[in-house]
Amino acid sequence: SQTIHQWPATLVQPVGSPLSLECTVEGTSNPNLYWYRQAAGRGLQLLFYSVGIGQISSEVPQNLSASRPQDRQFILSSKKLLLSDSGFYLCAWSVGVYQPQHFGDGTRLSIL
Amino acid sequence: GENVEQHPSTLSVQEGDSAVIKCTYSDSASNYFPWYKQELGKGPQLIIDIRSNVGEKKDQRIAVTLNKTAKHFSLHITETQPEDSAVYFCADILTGGGNKLTFGTGTQLKVEL
């Protein structure tokens, strides 16, 4: 069966520090991968998605970037964190089109 | 762009009662409608989904109905239990839109004893 792992589960970082969040998927090949941010109050905002290695689409302009160095690995990064980057970051995967996305358990990021 | 509206934002029911959450979508090209349940501190989990060629789908206490003419779909939970308490999200995918989900704003369901 397929599983998705995100780490760390929680992270506290100072303003201006770099960021690297990692997501890996097991049990499937060539998945579509997604990064979302969920601010307090529920809404999910799509940040990036990838249909293959090295292919990244950005949905909103921001201080973050994403990379996909391997088929089942998706990384969210920042060179300098802002206070507004605080939130709950979720990674998800799907296979094919018009198929459900399956989410990891997220990383709670707090910027001080 | 596509817009999905979800109502109500909060819903409180007594244990054993039914709960209904409704969503409307704007683009008639929407063809896939999943529902997610999110518990505190966790990622959303898919609980049921429906495709545009089906009007209703049921899985034990959970059912989803789709009205393509009116562009709305609903989640029905019967015989609610305390463990049903969570935030529920509807979403859709557009034909030709890749596999990008547009989410509703969520419903906080509380099942009271």
Side-chain angles (χ1 to χ4, degrees):
Chain A
S1 64
Q2 301 92 350
T3 56
I4 180 169
H5 303 280
Q6 275 189 254
W7 66 93
T10 59
L11 188 60
V12 181
Q13 292 283 100
V15 169
S17 63
L19 173 74
S20 181
L21 301 181
E22 190 162 341
C23 171
T24 59
V25 179
E26 296 176 358
T28 188
S29 296
N30 197 29
N32 301 314
L33 297 172
Y34 310 83
W35 278 112
Y36 289 85
R37 177 167 55 206
Q38 187 174 32
R42 298 175 231 154
L44 285 103
Q45 180 186 38
L46 179 63
L47 302 176
F48 302 95
Y49 72 95
S50 171
V51 298
I53 296 174
Q55 300 179 58
I56 308 294
S57 295
S58 174
E59 289 296 295
V60 292
Q62 58 206 316
N63 185 41
L64 303 167
S65 62
S67 61
R68 185 171 176 172
Q70 300 181 46
D71 182 44
R72 289 167 292 191
Q73 183 184 30
F74 206 23
I75 297 172
L76 184 69
S77 304
S78 174
K79 293 182 179 177
K80 282 187 175 183
L81 285 168
L82 307 172
L83 282 173
S84 57
D85 291 324
S86 293
F88 191 45
Y89 288 84
L90 291 155
C91 181
W93 68 271
S94 68
V95 175
V97 291
Y98 317 134
Q99 298 296 326
Q101 293 178 21
H102 304 277
F103 288 82
D105 275 339
T107 295
R108 175 78 57 192
L109 176 63
S110 298
I111 311 299
L112 303 179
Chain B
E2 171 63 345
N3 183 48
V4 177
E5 294 189 0
Q6 184 171 346
H7 301 280
S9 58
T10 59
L11 179 59
S12 184
V13 300
Q14 293 295 119
E15 183 180 8
D17 287 350
S18 295
V20 181
I21 302 170
K22 298 181 179 180
C23 289
T24 59
Y25 58 97
S26 59
D27 198 320
S28 57
S30 298
N31 68 11
Y32 173 67
F33 307 88
W35 284 90
Y36 289 86
K37 175 184 180 183
Q38 187 177 23
E39 297 177 337
L40 194 63
K42 298 200 168 184
Q45 299 298 308
L46 179 73
I47 56 172
I48 196 167
D49 56 8
I50 193 167
R51 299 189 184 275
S52 59
N53 58 347
V54 176
E56 183 174 0
K57 184 176 179 181
K58 191 173 182 180
D59 182 3
Q60 299 183 338
R61 297 187 297 108
I62 295 174
V64 57
T65 58
L66 172 64
N67 183 328
K68 288 179 60 179
T69 302
K71 294 184 192 170
H72 66 69
F73 56 114
S74 300
L75 177 71
H76 305 254
I77 306 174
T78 59
E79 301 172 26
T80 53
Q81 301 167 4
E83 52 265 37
D84 294 329
S85 297
V87 179
Y88 291 81
F89 291 95
C90 61
D92 74 353
I93 291 179
L94 296 177
T95 303
N99 207 50
K100 291 190 287 182
L101 288 170
T102 300
F103 282 90
T105 50
T107 296
Q108 175 76 62
L109 173 64
K110 184 176 181 182
V111 180
E112 298 178 334
L113 296 171

